[in-house]
Amino acid sequence: MRAARWLGLAAAGAALCRPMALVYAGAAVAIGAAITWWRRQAPLPIAAAWLAGPTAVSAGWWYALSWARYGDPTGSDALFEKFDRQPGAPLPEILTTRGIWESNLRTIATRRLEAPLPGDPYLWYQLALWVLVVGVAGAAVLVVRSAVRHRGGRSAAPGRAPALPGTAWAASAALATVPLVLVAQHRAGGGTIHPRYLFPMLAPVSAAIALTTVRLLTRWAGAALVAVLALATWRQTRASADWLADHPTGPLGSVLVGPIGPDLLRVAGLVAAVAGLALLLAAIAVSTGGRGRPTTVAPS
């Protein structure tokens, strides 16, 4: 019940942000209710009330009222009509098209969606793609292997990390697919794809990559990987800045061309990024991750 309360409050907070987060929260609530029913750990009606009640009270009524009044809970149809946006390809076709997901990942890892990729940022994109694929695939193998060992009655040996929570990882994997479907559905309706729509995937994907790094590599190898990615990001950011300076996105004098905010604000952002990197490297350095040793990182 405690987990249901926390998940219900988190879903309510997400629902107050934007409609896409409402769908994401609804999927999380549905998964939580299914696990509650499967494990019989709490009465389902009471757990469902805690899971869905805060969202219904805080934001659900507004979307329901909008749907009843206008036939559209989010106003997307009116926006598409206002800007004369035509429907795109069917949803199944978009979901199975490689290019759309490549462009989103490329934008997250490199630069603006419409910008071409010169040599150095393209290498960075390939590196980020391989880290993503290997990290997620490695986490899947580790979780399945841990579940098989646990089902076979073999407990963790002394000094080894305990069995991985397979249900939690399966729920996270299912939840991570929700933004993909929402982005494709938005594109099918005529909307523009923005990589920020995939932001909810960041947490489970990062956790999967971290699990693979901690379980299969030493802490120093993990720190080296983070340092290499940070260096590649810095080089790519400089290349992106140079490209945007040579290819302005608006007329001269426009706010789209000139820098935004005082110099101190931009310097503060750089200082915050460097401080975050330093803290992450320090956390990896003092951890005890690695093959055959216990780890302080507990996937959840």
Side-chain angles (χ1 to χ4, degrees):
M1 292 306 303
R2 181 181 180 185
R5 295 188 187 101
W6 279 112
L7 180 56
L9 292 175
L16 290 170
C17 295
R18 61 183 303 149
M20 179 178 179
L22 172 65
V23 178
Y24 193 72
V29 166
I31 294 174
I35 294 177
T36 300
W37 173 82
W38 178 47
R39 291 186 170 180
R40 305 289 198 277
Q41 292 180 330
L44 183 59
I46 300 178
W50 275 110
L51 286 168
T55 299
V57 172
S58 63
W61 64 269
W62 189 90
Y63 292 104
L65 182 61
S66 178
W67 199 343
R69 286 179 173 177
Y70 312 112
D72 182 7
T74 63
S76 296
D77 293 339
L79 284 176
F80 292 158
E81 182 179 356
K82 176 181 179 180
F83 294 105
D84 194 26
R85 301 302 299 267
Q86 300 300 319
L91 178 61
E93 180 179 340
I94 294 178
L95 284 171
T96 55
T97 299
R98 175 182 176 184
I100 185 177
W101 308 121
E102 277 194 345
S103 64
N104 277 274
L105 177 59
R106 186 191 72 181
T107 308
I108 294 173
T110 54
R111 58 172 69 211
R112 294 173 59 87
L113 191 64
E114 69 273 12
L117 285 173
D120 182 61
Y122 183 75
L123 293 177
W124 162 218
Y125 161 66
Q126 292 292 333
L127 175 62
L129 179 61
W130 275 106
V131 170
L132 173 65
V133 172
V134 173
V136 172
V141 171
L142 288 173
V143 171
V144 172
R145 179 186 177 189
S146 179
V148 171
R149 291 173 61 89
H150 182 70
R151 189 177 297 111
R154 290 177 288 179
S155 58
R160 299 286 294 185
L164 299 174
T167 304
W169 281 98
S172 297
L175 199 59
T177 64
V178 174
L180 293 175
V181 177
L182 289 177
V183 169
Q185 187 274 334
H186 185 61
R187 180 69 183 90
T192 301
I193 296 176
H194 298 289
R196 67 175 180 271
Y197 294 161
L198 299 179
F199 182 77
M201 295 181 61
L202 183 60
V205 169
S206 298
I209 296 174
L211 172 65
T212 302
T213 303
V214 168
R215 289 295 180 99
L216 299 182
L217 302 176
T218 66
R219 56 181 174 177
W220 301 116
L225 175 62
V226 171
V228 169
L229 292 175
L231 178 61
T233 301
W234 170 256
R235 289 174 59 90
Q236 178 275 317
T237 302
R238 293 296 302 271
S240 297
D242 294 339
W243 187 93
L244 290 174
D246 296 334
H247 304 79
T249 56
L252 294 178
S254 169
V255 294
L256 297 176
V257 177
I260 300 176
D263 294 338
L264 179 61
L265 185 61
R266 294 193 293 274
V267 173
L270 177 61
V271 171
V274 173
L277 175 62
L279 288 174
L280 177 58
L281 291 174
I284 296 175
V286 300
S287 68
T288 56
R291 189 187 301 273
R293 290 176 292 178
T295 177
T296 57
V297 178
S300 61

